[in-house]
Amino acid sequence: MVETPLLERPKKLTVENLSILYGDQVALNDISLDIRENEIFGIIGPANSGKTSFLRAINRMDEMSDDMLVRGKVALDGCDVRSWRNVYALRSRIGVVFPLPVGLPLTIYENVALSPRLRGVRNKVELDEIVERCLSRAALWDEVKDRLDSLGSLLSGGQQQRLTIARALSQEPDVLLLDEFSIAVDPVTTMRIEDVLKELREEMTIVLVTNLVQQARRLADRTAFFLGGELVEVGMTEDLFRRQVKDQRTTDYLEGRFG
Amino acid sequence: MSSFRATELDRRNQRRERWVRGLFLVMTLMLILPVLIILGTLAWRGHSVISLDFLLSFPTNGMTEGGIFPALVGTLWLVGVALVVSVPMGVAAAIYLSEYAPENLLTRSINLAIINLAGVPSIVHALFGVGAFVLFFNFGTSILAAGLTLAVMTLPVVIVSTRESLQAVPQAFREASWSLGATRWQTIRRIVLPNSVSGILTGVILEVSRTVGETAPIMFTGAAFFLPFLPLGVGDQTMALSLHLFTVSTQVPNVPEALPFGVALTLISLVLILNAVSIAFRMYLRGKKKW
Ligand SMILES: Nc1ncnc2c1ncn2[C@@H]1O[C@H](COP(=O)(O)OP(=O)(O)OP(=O)(O)O)[C@@H](O)[C@H]1O
Ligand SMILES: [Mg+2]
């Protein structure tokens, strides 16, 4: 398979002059970047640098809270997300995985079947098939296939995180947003999930927020470095780790020299 | 090197721990005591009049003899009307306030108003009921007017407790559901409500207990001292247990001593039975709680 060079692929997400405010506190200040199709786009940066806020702006979660204000433009496939008439249709195209696994208080089966059900899939055979496919892709099927009717919240942390990935996949998303997914997950499971992500790249665009710089190095095609709400720089991951950086602060952060 | 001997401070903390624990236990027991005394007295002095016949026959001889059937039936009517009105309205209002309303001055004012409403004395509600339901809406003194008055009185309790149990459902569940593309209502129906029913039921239990016992709000709006027939619909007046207790205790001469105790015992048993059923249902639901 001949892969199109990254920067010649169409833009999946275009971010222009994005600012995010909570009250008068600036969480993200005037950021512009674009994310290509079938790319894993890494975002690294210390705490409070605005990474989570960035993800929330993409699927318009700011509308669900009163204090978050978003300025600027985020476009999905060239179309401003604010101009999507139906925000629910927008969100169903974007899968989200949270830092701490949130198994919904439903059975394992229902966790994965919820999104298809919301889309109107009623047929039991079809649902079974979706559940099995998504759980398999998230490398969880073998562990849970005999107890699909037990509660999702009874799984171990690492299993729950794979369950949330399966749930995100059940949306058949174009874009997958991952927010520090490995915080509550052991190293072995983390590696398994990373392998899953590498496969998923073939089908979707992945935005990977991580506080493990090595994870960005292993997975991301390009990486952006956020610091205190600023986009310090964005570049090919290999370049950044070869110290071909524009800003000294990037190297400092990558090498762990940060106050 | 380390030694595992307790220091003076450790021992003092331990002693204090025991004292505090003991103190709180005594407080709790003191709280239970009056309840036991009341129940004991009622049971001891009232049990002799209780019989199936007492529950199922009309009062006779100027209410000094006979049973309490119409009062029992009337109370069920009143509680029923109050519940049918206040539970759907209260739950809907609570869902709106907790899940939809933006956090602004108006919402805060409404919340404050609801809390204040819960503190309004029942006699004030009674006067409101007379003005609004009996006279303005022209329902007359009827089960409808009295039930609505009770509903208005108990709405704040239902709203506050429902809102609190909705807010006990972790926000992370909502966000996860929204990010799947679920609407607010889909999230409420599939995630939030199934995990807060037990709390909502608590509000209903509280409401039932209050409603069964209230006298003032129904006295001027729909309850009568004595009626020789059963109510046939919400337009009729009715007798009620609470008012009947008041009547036989203070208004009628030559009532046998055990009779008021018997009525009170029936009233309390009714509350206890309703509570027990709701608590059992709650425990059943709690057992299925999902996180
Ligand atoms: N709901 C909120 N209300 C007010 N301020 C918020 C809210 N959420 C985030 N912030 C603020 O916005 C800034 C950026 O937060 P954000 O969560 O985006 O950082 P982050 O890069 O994801 O950090 P972390 O690595 O710790 O997850 C922080 O200063 C934070 O205090
Ligand atoms: Mg974050």
Side-chain angles (χ1 to χ4, degrees):
Chain A
M1 190 180 95
V2 186
E3 234 182 83
T4 325
L6 185 71
L7 292 176
E8 286 167 25
R9 288 184 215 153
K11 292 174 183 174
K12 191 73 194 176
L13 284 164
T14 324
V15 177
E16 283 168 23
N17 306 106
L18 180 71
S19 295
I20 296 175
L21 297 104
Y22 295 100
D24 42 9
Q25 193 196 354
V26 180
L28 210 59
N29 191 10
D30 197 22
I31 282 190
S32 299
L33 51 81
D34 57 65
I35 297 172
R36 305 284 165 157
E37 258 171 32
N38 300 85
E39 154 170 37
I40 295 187
F41 188 88
I43 298 178
I44 56 173
N48 293 339
S49 51
K51 308 179 297 292
T52 301
S53 307
F54 176 76
L55 296 185
R56 291 172 65 89
I58 295 177
N59 69 346
R60 283 171 65 181
M61 282 305 263
D62 54 296
E63 285 165 24
M64 306 312 260
S65 65
D66 298 318
D67 54 351
M68 181 172 169
L69 184 72
V70 176
R71 292 215 198 97
K73 182 174 157 187
V74 180
L76 176 65
D77 289 330
C79 173
D80 188 344
V81 293
R82 307 271 138 199
S83 70
W84 281 65
R85 285 259 198 70
N86 190 326
V87 65
Y88 311 109
L90 171 75
R91 292 204 187 111
S92 64
R93 284 183 59 188
I94 302 177
V96 185
V97 174
F98 298 94
L100 296 175
V102 184
L104 287 171
L106 303 166
T107 64
I108 295 172
Y109 184 94
E110 287 300 327
N111 259 281
V112 185
L114 180 59
S115 164
R117 279 192 205 281
L118 294 177
R119 301 200 282 278
V121 179
R122 292 244 162 64
N123 185 322
K124 176 84 173 121
V125 180
E126 205 177 327
L127 283 174
D128 288 350
E129 197 255 323
I130 293 174
V131 169
E132 173 165 359
R133 177 159 42 88
C134 295
L135 285 171
S136 309
R137 301 214 59 184
L140 187 60
W141 175 252
D142 291 332
E143 289 162 56
V144 300
K145 63 170 182 274
D146 300 322
R147 51 174 179 140
L148 291 174
D149 288 331
S150 70
L151 287 178
S153 41
L154 297 180
L155 294 170
S156 78
Q159 288 173 324
Q160 277 196 57
Q161 196 60 299
R162 277 176 286 159
L163 179 63
T164 63
I165 291 176
R167 195 173 66 207
L169 294 180
S170 74
Q171 296 173 241
E172 294 171 8
D174 290 6
V175 179
L176 184 61
L177 309 177
L178 295 134
D179 192 358
E180 302 181 1
F181 73 86
S182 53
I183 269 187
V185 178
D186 69 286
V188 178
T189 312
T190 302
M191 287 304 161
R192 292 181 69 179
I193 298 178
E194 288 187 9
D195 290 337
V196 172
L197 295 180
K198 284 181 204 151
E199 282 172 31
L200 289 176
R201 167 166 38 190
E202 307 293 322
E203 294 161 40
M204 57 189 77
T205 306
I206 298 175
V207 183
L208 173 78
V209 166
T210 177
N211 49 12
L212 307 171
V213 285
Q214 290 308 322
Q215 189 170 60
R217 184 178 202 169
R218 286 191 296 268
L219 293 175
D221 298 298
R222 285 186 302 156
T223 297
F225 174 45
F226 283 22
L227 179 63
E230 311 281 340
L231 172 62
V232 175
E233 79 174 276
V234 48
M236 299 301 291
T237 308
E238 293 162 37
D239 294 344
L240 295 186
F241 279 90
R242 275 200 247 109
R243 300 206 194 171
Q244 292 174 0
V245 295
K246 302 186 196 83
D247 195 306
Q248 182 56 31
R249 288 175 293 175
T250 313
T251 313
D252 288 349
Y253 184 72
L254 290 178
E255 296 183 356
R257 275 185 272 121
F258 229 82
Chain B
M1 76 143 253
S2 63
S3 86
F4 289 107
R5 249 187 296 131
T7 64
E8 182 50 35
L9 182 65
D10 290 333
R11 262 178 257 128
R12 204 167 63 213
N13 282 341
Q14 197 182 22
R15 271 201 306 277
R16 193 169 292 166
E17 172 69 21
R18 266 189 230 127
W19 267 106
V20 169
R21 190 196 159 107
L23 187 69
F24 289 167
L25 178 66
V26 170
M27 295 288 198
T28 310
L29 291 179
M30 275 167 60
L31 209 107
I32 297 174
L33 208 60
V35 178
L36 288 180
I37 291 176
I38 292 173
L39 284 180
T41 314
L42 288 181
W44 177 51
R45 302 184 63 172
H47 75 96
S48 59
V49 295
I50 303 270
S51 66
L52 205 57
D53 193 44
F54 177 71
L55 296 178
L56 295 182
S57 62
F58 275 66
T60 49
N61 205 0
M63 284 189 278
T64 56
E65 287 167 28
I68 53 167
F69 188 54
L72 193 59
V73 170
T75 290
L76 293 179
W77 268 101
L78 291 171
V79 174
V81 170
L83 277 180
V84 163
V85 174
S86 68
V87 171
M89 271 181 73
V91 171
I95 290 179
Y96 180 77
L97 288 171
S98 151
E99 307 293 318
Y100 287 94
E103 175 59 40
N104 58 22
L105 193 67
L106 180 65
T107 310
R108 276 198 297 276
S109 316
I110 292 177
N111 282 330
L112 198 67
I114 290 169
I115 291 169
N116 282 322
L117 208 58
V120 171
S122 57
I123 186 72
V124 177
H125 282 290
L127 295 177
F128 170 77
V130 172
F133 302 125
V134 178
L135 300 176
F136 183 77
F137 286 109
N138 211 6
F139 296 148
T141 48
S142 60
I143 290 179
L144 185 60
L148 287 175
T149 309
L150 288 173
V152 169
M153 192 188 76
T154 48
L155 258 176
V157 183
V158 178
I159 296 177
V160 169
S161 69
T162 304
R163 201 184 55 206
E164 267 159 22
S165 44
L166 291 174
Q167 279 168 359
V169 175
Q171 186 67 11
F173 291 163
R174 296 188 181 87
E175 301 218 333
S177 172
W178 293 336
S179 69
L180 289 174
T183 62
R184 280 192 198 259
W185 172 239
Q186 286 170 327
T187 304
I188 293 166
R189 197 170 66 79
R190 289 175 188 266
I191 309 290
V192 180
L193 276 183
N195 289 287
S196 48
V197 255
S198 69
I200 294 172
L201 268 175
T202 313
V204 176
I205 296 174
L206 262 174
E207 169 175 21
V208 169
S209 319
R210 271 187 79 186
T211 311
V212 168
E214 280 297 341
T215 318
I218 57 173
M219 212 159 147
F220 311 117
T221 51
F225 286 99
F226 177 74
L227 292 170
F229 47 80
L230 289 178
L232 296 174
V234 293
D236 292 345
Q237 274 192 304
T238 182
M239 291 181 71
L241 271 183
S242 52
L243 185 62
H244 189 61
L245 176 58
F246 171 72
T247 312
V248 293
S249 316
T250 61
Q251 305 294 300
V252 188
N254 305 325
V255 174
E257 208 193 327
L259 185 63
F261 286 101
V263 178
L265 185 60
T266 315
L267 187 58
I268 279 208
S269 307
L270 190 64
V271 174
L272 290 182
I273 290 169
L274 288 171
N275 283 5
V277 170
S278 323
I279 289 172
F281 188 52
R282 249 180 89 194
M283 272 159 56
Y284 164 74
L285 289 172
R286 175 103 31 99
K288 299 206 312 186
K289 195 156 179 169
K290 309 244 175 88
W291 82 84

